[in-house]
Amino acid sequence: MQRAACKTLIQFHKANVSYQGLSYGPKPPATAVAEVKAAAPTMGLEIQVFNASTGREINTTFAAAARERTDALFIGGDPYFTTRRVQLANLAARYAIPASFVARDFPEAGGLMSYGTNITDAYRQIGIYAGRILKGAKPADLPIMQASKFELVINLATAMMLGIDVPPTLLARADEVIE
């Protein structure tokens, strides 16, 4: 389901998306980058990876993405990017590059959309784990848990500003639509 949803999100960004950019912080997850690069040709996409770890590098990344006529940009999950979410959303709007993010904070700040872990559910899971440990469970005996609840947030105002018609089927699947 997650890969299918990501493909739908990528294809929705713009009609005829062919050049997709990925932006990561200073240490991009090598496996994620490799998976995306391997899957890109099957979706008819060319991928360019941009790395940024300072405000200036973020500015440079967007300028380069615009110069290279990147059709859409995916901003990876890096804690530094969360602190720069307004800058990222503003630059995406300034250069008119549709951008997807991994957390709802970004479309709330003006970014186009996000698809990622529901952070409230993740915090709840952390609380459950902590409670088990406080009750005497050994951390090594607890099962490894992965996020099981994902959310899609779409900023319809940003989509309209970028001239993107969001398909009704995608709007129906969204957990939240910001108008």
Side-chain angles (χ1 to χ4, degrees):
M1 167 67 178
Q2 188 174 359
R3 285 181 198 262
C6 288
K7 181 178 179 182
T8 301
L9 297 178
I10 289 169
Q11 291 174 336
F12 130 82
H13 270 302
K14 274 187 169 179
N16 304 318
V17 168
S18 61
Y19 190 68
Q20 176 87 12
L22 295 171
S23 184
Y24 287 103
K27 294 182 180 177
T31 54
V33 172
E35 282 182 11
V36 171
K37 282 189 168 190
T42 65
M43 294 187 280
L45 296 173
E46 180 183 338
I47 300 293
Q48 171 70 37
V49 178
F50 300 98
N51 293 334
S53 58
T54 67
R56 182 174 286 160
E57 288 176 356
I58 290 171
N59 290 337
T60 302
T61 292
F62 272 90
R67 228 181 5 263
E68 295 178 26
R69 301 192 191 301
T70 302
D71 293 322
L73 193 60
F74 173 78
I75 310 295
D78 186 279
Y80 177 69
F81 288 162
T82 302
T83 67
R84 307 302 294 200
R85 63 188 173 276
V86 172
Q87 177 188 12
L88 291 163
N90 287 341
L91 286 168
R94 176 177 167 196
Y95 289 106
I97 300 173
S100 288
F101 304 90
V102 296
R104 73 178 302 118
D105 298 348
F106 294 91
E108 288 174 351
L112 177 60
M113 63 192 308
S114 68
Y115 181 72
T117 304
N118 178 308
I119 197 70
T120 304
D121 186 61
Y123 287 149
R124 185 181 64 76
Q125 293 294 335
I126 291 169
I128 291 169
Y129 249 52
R132 290 178 180 173
I133 292 168
L134 290 172
K135 290 179 182 174
K138 294 180 183 177
D141 294 338
L142 293 175
I144 295 173
M145 296 184 72
Q146 293 185 355
S148 59
K149 202 170 185 186
F150 294 86
E151 64 182 351
L152 171 62
V153 179
I154 300 172
N155 187 322
L156 204 51
T158 300
M160 288 171 42
M161 181 199 64
L162 293 171
I164 296 172
D165 293 322
V166 182
T169 53
L170 194 58
L171 288 173
R173 292 180 79 177
D175 296 286
E176 184 177 349
V177 176
I178 298 170
E179 298 188 47

